[in-house]
Amino acid sequence: MKKIFFSLSALLLMTLSACSNSETNNASTDVTSEQGEQLVPLKIGVMPSMDNIPLIVAHEQGFDQKHGVDLQIEAFKSGKDRDAAFQAGAVDGINADLIGIAMYLQGGMDIKITSATQGQFDLIASSEVQDITDLKGQQIAVLKNQGPEFAAEEFIKQAGLSASDVSMVDVPQVPSRVELLTNDQAGAAILPEPFVTMTTAQGMTNLGSTLDLDINLFALTFTQEVIEEKEAAIQGMYEAYNDAVKWMAANDQSAYIQLFIDEIGFPESLKENIQIPEYQEAFQTKESDIQRAFDWAMEKGLLEKEIDPKDVLSNVYFK
């Protein structure tokens, strides 16, 4: 069983690499619509994630062209590569978690959140663990000083435990976290999709997602300079996003399920196991979510200045 799982992990990594290369090679800077109108390119840096699907559908179905924008979704294999591209101006904006955004602000970048996205982290445990309280005295594999550690501590807190009741282990690479679980070297791990589906298909226990914590950790963010330069394009992106959400709701999942395999890396063999989110039209990040994440970042010393959530939110689309 473990050999089968490692094969799936290897296949996933090759798929993610292919997605990243494909997006990079296909990116264009001078595009016109079918009517010959000049389109404004808008490049978004992402990690392979389910919350990117409406953006991908918006481009594939031509909804972006309808609203005067050429959406270019570039998938990165690591958060460090995505962040480096953002800092270098190689992408206009990124889909990131609120802890990462706090660290950008601490670093002095003038960035704003333009909307929330529907991402999530899940707490996956070995099959012997059936409740979060069973993790007392065990290790939880996370990415420290980032969203995964924040999520793990929130899960522990809501279960009535304290951070000292468990040991947070820094494991940056997601496949390595899965390997620790598989080899019984960690009691649990914070994982994104498609690893959540892959591990639960192997009999591991899903103890909940960040959505159960009543917090949305993920958001689209752009520099203020890009927001000012490409205001109409960003507005067009959200109109196209909403069109994509409506299109997905009106069509059978068979019309877009392959995107979850091609763009996110779900193994074809687990096609029937994919739980597609109920996507909603674009919505703004809640100030309470930002405050909660920023408070944690300050406790950890990642953010050293008080920031009012209102000052982080852009009104480029949500007036």
Side-chain angles (χ1 to χ4, degrees), residues 61-176:
Q61 296 298 316
F63 299 136
D64 55 347
Q65 290 193 14
K66 172 184 169 185
H67 296 287
V69 59
D70 174 35
L71 274 179
Q72 301 170 12
I73 311 302
E74 183 167 354
F76 291 88
K77 291 183 289 183
S78 77
K80 288 184 178 180
D81 291 342
R82 177 205 60 194
D83 294 346
F86 188 40
Q87 292 169 348
V91 294
D92 295 310
I94 58 171
N95 186 5
D97 68 59
L98 296 177
I99 306 301
I101 290 172
M103 295 174 70
Y104 274 122
L105 293 167
Q106 176 61 32
M109 284 190 73
D110 185 11
I111 61 172
K112 294 288 189 294
I113 292 170
T114 56
S115 76
T117 62
Q118 289 181 243
Q120 67 185 73
F121 289 130
D122 286 42
L123 179 63
I124 305 299
S126 60
S127 56
E128 293 78 15
V129 174
Q130 295 301 311
D131 188 83
I132 294 177
T133 54
D134 296 336
L135 294 174
K136 189 171 184 179
Q138 298 200 49
Q139 292 185 337
I140 301 179
V142 300
L143 174 59
K144 296 204 79 170
N145 295 327
Q146 295 281 354
E149 185 183 17
F150 167 80
E153 288 196 5
E154 289 293 305
F155 280 118
I156 291 300
K157 186 191 305 180
Q158 291 204 6
L161 301 177
S162 66
S164 60
D165 288 324
V166 299
S167 175
M168 299 289 181
V169 182
D170 188 24
V171 186
Q173 298 298 325
V174 178
S176 298

Side-chain angles (χ1 to χ4, degrees), residues 167-292:
S167 175
M168 299 289 181
V169 182
D170 188 24
V171 186
Q173 298 298 325
V174 178
S176 298
R177 292 179 223 162
V178 173
E179 186 175 349
L180 289 178
L181 277 179
T182 306
N183 293 329
D184 297 323
Q185 294 178 313
I190 296 292
L191 303 177
E193 288 285 14
F195 295 96
V196 171
T197 296
M198 293 168 67
T199 50
T200 53
Q202 297 293 318
M204 296 186 191
T205 306
N206 190 331
L207 295 175
S209 82
T210 45
L211 299 180
D212 301 321
L213 299 174
D214 192 29
I215 184 171
N216 190 325
L217 261 183
F218 297 87
L220 279 177
T221 184
F222 295 82
T223 63
Q224 183 60 34
E225 181 181 5
V226 167
I227 291 172
E228 292 172 0
E229 289 180 355
K230 298 189 175 184
E231 178 179 358
I234 293 173
Q235 292 168 351
M237 174 192 70
Y238 283 116
E239 293 296 336
Y241 182 99
N242 291 342
D243 285 349
V245 169
K246 293 171 186 172
W247 181 87
M248 293 174 72
N251 285 271
D252 188 81
Q253 292 183 1
S254 60
Y256 53 83
I257 189 70
Q258 193 63 34
L259 285 176
F260 290 82
I261 295 169
D262 298 339
E263 302 292 341
I264 302 175
F266 282 92
E268 188 83 38
S269 59
L270 296 179
K271 192 172 186 176
E272 300 303 318
N273 299 70
I274 300 173
Q275 297 294 315
I276 296 178
E278 186 175 332
Y279 291 107
Q280 55 183 298
E281 293 185 21
F283 59 99
Q284 185 58 288
T285 300
K286 294 189 296 185
E287 291 180 22
S288 58
D289 287 350
I290 298 172
Q291 190 67 62
R292 193 166 161 186

